[in-house]
Amino acid sequence: MDTKIRGDIAEQAAVLHALKRGLGMLKPVGDRLPYDLVFDVDGTLLKIQVKYAWFDEHKGNFVVDNCRTKTNRRVMIRGVYNQSDFDFALVYIESLDLFYIFPVAVFIAYGSEIHLVELEKRQRKPRSSVYRDAWELILPDSHNLSDKVQLPVESQAGF
């Protein structure tokens, strides 16, 4: 399966999960925008970037690239996202039918990849675990994120 198909699968899963939670849905035309979907949450429009996580057999965890990739027929350009590009990143793990829901500040604060540990192989849970299936961050009455956003350790001192 190529990355475009995986992205389409993740987007459709995001639509299904959001609709089951009673969220309204808008889909931009084309793929030139830095977001994939817009959720209507009680009249508040939230830009959503959807990503598909793949399993890294060597490391034993799921990985998602948090860079933006623009392509045409000849050139692939990678770049970083900006705070204004979207409101939330939804990272889909297909084999578990599960999303990690990252506020944009958290998502862009990681390096070029985010590693998601789904096995209980560590003594402490990784910081990303608070975003596991965290739909409450998007649902009504949760748009004041200041008390919910935890930046990765490396980035907290740098901001």
Side-chain angles (χ1 to χ4, degrees):
M1 230 184 324
D2 69 27
T3 56
K4 283 285 197 187
I5 292 174
R6 288 182 176 150
D8 291 343
I9 289 169
E11 280 184 35
Q12 293 308 309
V15 168
L16 179 62
H17 280 251
L19 288 173
K20 285 181 176 181
R21 288 167 171 82
L23 301 175
M25 186 73 46
L26 301 166
K27 174 86 170 111
V29 175
D31 61 356
R32 294 173 308 282
L33 298 171
Y35 54 91
D36 299 308
L37 301 169
V38 176
F39 291 170
D40 182 341
V41 183
D42 286 349
T44 300
L45 300 179
L46 300 173
K47 297 179 286 187
I48 305 296
Q49 173 56 236
V50 182
K51 296 287 188 177
Y52 185 101
W54 68 91
F55 188 72
D56 183 333
E57 303 242 355
H58 176 68
K59 293 183 179 174
N61 58 28
F62 291 91
V63 182
V64 65
D65 186 1
N66 69 344
C67 293
R68 184 175 183 179
T69 305
K70 296 180 187 178
T71 60
N72 64 24
R73 294 172 205 244
R74 297 185 185 123
V75 180
M76 181 171 84
I77 301 170
R78 294 174 49 87
V80 297
Y81 286 106
N82 296 311
Q83 182 90 22
S84 62
D85 285 343
F86 54 89
D87 299 302
F88 291 93
L90 276 60
V91 177
Y92 186 56
I93 299 176
E94 183 181 15
S95 60
L96 303 175
D97 192 30
L98 172 77
F99 280 95
Y100 278 74
I101 314 295
F102 290 100
V104 64
V106 174
F107 188 77
I108 65 176
Y110 280 89
S112 62
E113 293 180 342
I114 301 173
H115 293 259
L116 306 169
V117 179
E118 280 295 315
L119 301 174
E120 295 294 329
K121 64 181 187 178
R122 294 183 170 188
Q123 289 183 335
R124 64 178 178 84
K125 290 185 177 183
R127 283 189 174 266
S128 61
S129 67
V130 298
Y131 303 105
R132 185 183 195 275
D133 208 27
W135 286 93
E136 68 276 5
L137 294 176
I138 292 177
L139 296 175
D141 300 324
S142 63
H143 300 295
N144 183 2
L145 297 175
S146 59
D147 59 336
K148 297 179 177 92
V149 173
Q150 290 183 1
L151 296 176
V153 175
E154 311 84 48
S155 297
Q156 285 179 338
F159 278 105

